[in-house]
């Protein structure tokens, strides 16, 4: 089955998105040169992609190991109750914790999965004891420590999903 671009995206738009995923510091002139268009139309395309919400922001990706944040944990969580108010309270609370860098609702036996980054095991244990398990909304928490990072990317699979 052939994948097709969403109607609002052109091949040049996808090329711009790919370049910005790889290096958000590229100038409009450099992007225009790489996709073989002039600078003004390229600038307009980038602005449209931002206005349409396809580009949410531009950030610097930090090296967590170089910063001494060596522990990555995937924590699976079940709540005491899955009523709407309990879900809202949990989600409002979890957003406030910078150690939680990703949080997803899940299908299957777990209500949520968190990706947590800490300096070391001791800091993770303190976070669990003093923050997560202190929450009355959490019934069950399982920690899955990452041992070796095989792949970690922020790049979406544009070539295989949009072209």
């Amino acid at each position: 089955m052939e994948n097709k671009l969403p109607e609002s995206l052109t091949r040049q738009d996808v090329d711009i998105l790919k370049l910005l995923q790889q290096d958000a510091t590229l100038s409009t002139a450099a992007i225009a040169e790489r996709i073989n268009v002039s600078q003004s139309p390229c600038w307009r395309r980038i602005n449209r992609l931002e206005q349409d919400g396809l580009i949410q922001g531009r950030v610097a990706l930090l090296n967590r190991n170089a910063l001494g944040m060596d522990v990555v944990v995937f924590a699976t969580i079940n709540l005491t109750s899955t009523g709407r108010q309990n879900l809202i309270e949990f989600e409002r609370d979890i957003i406030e914790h910078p150690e939680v860098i990703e949080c997803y609702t899940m299908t299957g036996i777990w209500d949520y999965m968190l990706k947590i980054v800490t300096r070391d095991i001791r800091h993770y244990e303190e976070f669990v004891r003093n923050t997560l398990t202190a929450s009355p909304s959490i019934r069950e928490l399982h920690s899955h420590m990452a041992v070796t990072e095989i792949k970690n990317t922020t790049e979406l699979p544009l070539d295989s999903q949009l072209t």
Side-chain angles (χ1 to χ4, degrees):
M1 176 183 273
E2 183 179 320
N3 290 330
K4 294 187 179 178
L5 289 173
E7 288 182 32
S8 63
L9 285 180
T10 67
R11 182 69 231 168
Q12 283 182 334
D13 292 334
V14 173
D15 290 343
I16 290 170
L17 293 172
K18 285 173 51 182
L19 288 168
L20 287 173
Q21 278 194 123
Q22 294 166 359
D23 184 358
T25 65
L26 287 173
S27 68
T28 304
I31 294 169
E33 182 179 318
R34 291 186 188 184
I35 65 169
N36 206 23
V37 298
S38 62
Q39 189 171 342
S40 292
C42 182
W43 179 84
R44 284 193 297 274
R45 284 181 183 275
I46 292 170
N47 280 340
R48 183 179 49 80
L49 292 167
E50 288 173 338
Q51 289 169 357
D52 290 349
L54 296 171
I55 299 172
Q56 294 180 355
R58 301 182 198 196
V59 300
L61 299 177
L62 306 181
N63 182 331
R64 68 174 175 77
N65 294 110
L67 292 166
M69 297 180 202
D70 295 328
V71 173
V72 176
V73 178
F74 295 91
T76 50
I77 291 177
N78 277 327
L79 301 182
T80 55
S81 164
T82 54
R84 180 170 171 71
Q85 190 59 37
N86 204 31
L87 296 173
I88 290 169
E89 287 175 20
F90 173 79
E91 291 169 10
R92 192 178 301 132
D93 184 47
I94 209 70
I95 288 170
E96 299 300 318
H97 302 296
E99 297 87 351
V100 178
I101 62 171
E102 296 180 43
C103 175
Y104 301 94
T105 57
M106 304 297 290
T107 61
I109 62 173
W110 303 109
D111 296 327
Y112 291 92
M113 179 174 284
L114 311 178
K115 182 177 180 182
I116 300 167
V117 172
T118 62
R119 202 173 1 180
D120 52 33
I121 296 294
R122 186 176 58 78
H123 282 91
Y124 178 69
E125 180 186 14
E126 287 174 11
F127 178 67
V128 168
R129 284 179 184 256
N130 300 327
T131 305
L132 291 180
T133 57
S135 169
S137 62
I138 295 178
R139 174 174 52 90
E140 187 176 7
L141 177 135
H142 292 265
S143 299
H144 310 273
M145 299 283 176
V147 177
T148 306
E149 183 176 277
I150 307 302
K151 181 177 181 179
N152 180 350
T153 182
T154 61
E155 291 185 41
L156 295 176
L158 300 179
D159 281 335
S160 67
Q161 301 301 306
L162 296 180
T163 57

